[in-house]
Structures are given as structure tokens and as C-alpha cells.
Amino acid sequence: MTEQPARRLLLVHAHPDDESINNGATMARYAAEGARVTLVTCTLGELGEVIPPGLRHLTGAALGEHRRGELTAAMRELGVADFRLLGGAGRYQDSGMMGLPENDDPACFWRADVDDAARHLVEVILEVCPQVLVTYDDHGGYGHPDHIQAHRVAMRAVELAADAGWRIPKVYWNRVPRAIGERAFAQLHADLPGLPFTKSAVLDDVPGVVDDERITTEIDGTAYATAKSAAMAAHATQIDVSGAYFALSNELAQPLFTTEYYELVRGEPGDTRETDLFSGIEGAS
């Protein structure tokens, strides 16, 4: 049996590109430092809106397969070798935005039985034995059905894995501190005339924004800014990157954060803001 690395990080995301936007710098940093970084993506994002005109013919399964290739390219940029699809490719389909008819498709992730989906994740947990799990909050960061379901499945899998013999010491939710976001958008507004984007998003468009006191952990990934930017650019159907900014299909510019923030929701918080997801874990920090 191959010996596991001392630090093992598991991230659970809804679609290809979510991981690079939310955690790209964190993933690149820990992969470079020798941690085992495992990504589980729950759907292939078959209903995503495509940005480049030359790729807009891609829909449904064809888009999903293309986005799988984008995910592979993004993981290469981040140095992450272990990335998987929940239950295997095609197990769960993209549910679309909240309120769309696609939410009612029995094959979509939103309609999946949470315990059944969680058992697929438990298989990964028992193999990898992560000390840290990262996912979304109970609103999925911004209310997308697949993000909410990813949260539910991840949190349920933590419980089921504990019953099966592996207790994950620390669980984090992705966050953006409000004050940091406000400063970043102020800079974006100043820089906007020189960008290829005509309009700016607003802070409320950013998933996971909370008051600063909710933040328990910040991971300085500035040394991996290039890797994060390249990983995001690899998701070319979904993201248009320009320097320190990017836009999704709505063409609204957003800041690209290279220090990434988290809220510890399971585990023992420290007296001060953490700078390491593995802080306090015996033999890992």
C-alpha cells in the first residue's frame, strides 16, 4: 500500500471552473508543497453558457465533454493530478440555474438523493483520508442548485465517512471578506477603462461574501497567481481572463483573488486568523 502524503486536501465543487475561481491559488500552493490535493467535481456543467462565439455550437453532452477537457487542462496548470467526477462521468447532470425547467430533470444533480450521492463521495474520502475538506456554504455561495447540492452532499459525506471509520478533522466553506471585496471592486472601477470589459459586476455577485469576522482562514496564494490565472483561462468556454480581472458569460468584470479566504465550520478554531488549512492537525502543519 502506498504511503499517503502528510497533508491531504479534498475539495468538492459543482462544475468545472468553480475550483479554479474559488480555490485555484490554494490548490496550486498545496500541490507545490507536496500535499495530496483531490478534487471531486459533481457535474460536467452541460448547461453552462458558452462565451467564445466559435464554441457556441457546443451544448449538452458535447459541451460537458469539452468542459471535461478544460478541467484537465486547468488541473495541469495547478499541478493537481487527482481529480474525479462524482460517481464517474455522466452520473449527475448539470441542473441549470434555479427556477429553470431543467431543475426537474430526474437525471440532474439537484434531484439526486443526497445520501446516494454522498456515498460516492465517501468512497473517495475512505481512499484519500483527507484531513481537510473544502466546499460551499448552505446557500451554495450564490444559490445555484448544483452548488447547494454539492454542499449538502459534501456535509453528509463527512458524517457518513465518520461512521465508516474516517473522521475529517477540518471542514471549510469558501468565503470572501466584505472589506477585501469592497477594496478590490474599488480598484476594478479605477482600472475598468483599460480593460476589455465594459461593465463591472457588483460585490453581491461574488459567491460567499460575508462580514470579515466570519473569516477564520486566509491562504496567501500570490506566488501562484500565474497558475490560478492560467487555470481559469483554461476554462475558456466559461471564463474570460484579463490580468487581475475576469468575466463570466454575463461580461461583467470581477476581481481575480489570489489570496483566498475560508470559514472553518468543523474543527477547532485558533485564537488568530489561520494562514494554513492544516493548522492544528497533528503531523500535518
Side-chain angles (χ1 to χ4, degrees), residues 138-208:
D138 53 1
H139 186 55
Y142 72 110
H144 191 295
D146 289 332
H147 287 240
I148 295 171
Q149 188 77 324
H151 160 86
R152 293 172 177 170
V153 168
M155 299 305 289
R156 180 61 176 145
V158 170
E159 296 172 349
L160 294 176
D163 292 341
W166 183 258
R167 177 185 170 276
I168 300 176
K170 302 180 82 174
V171 176
Y172 292 93
W173 293 345
N174 291 304
R175 292 300 192 196
V176 174
R178 189 170 302 280
I180 293 291
E182 289 171 348
R183 288 197 291 272
F185 271 91
Q187 186 63 52
L188 166 58
H189 293 153
D191 293 342
L192 192 59
L195 296 176
F197 314 117
T198 57
K199 295 182 180 179
S200 169
V202 297
L203 183 56
D204 287 345
D205 294 329
V206 177

Side-chain angles (χ1 to χ4, degrees), residues 78-162:
L78 299 180
V80 173
D82 186 8
F83 54 100
R84 309 152 185 234
L85 295 165
L86 184 67
R91 171 75 66 169
Y92 301 109
Q93 295 179 19
D94 190 340
S95 308
M97 298 297 287
M98 188 69 81
L100 293 180
E102 288 82 359
N103 298 169
D104 297 323
D105 185 340
C108 79
F109 188 46
W110 180 238
R111 292 295 172 188
D113 180 87
V114 170
D115 275 16
D116 285 347
R119 279 189 276 271
H120 293 299
L121 186 56
V122 169
E123 292 177 6
V124 179
I125 291 171
L126 295 181
E127 174 193 339
V128 174
C129 298
Q131 301 117 317
V132 175
L133 182 144
V134 171
T135 192
Y136 316 105
D137 64 15
D138 53 1
H139 186 55
Y142 72 110
H144 191 295
D146 289 332
H147 287 240
I148 295 171
Q149 188 77 324
H151 160 86
R152 293 172 177 170
V153 168
M155 299 305 289
R156 180 61 176 145
V158 170
E159 296 172 349
L160 294 176

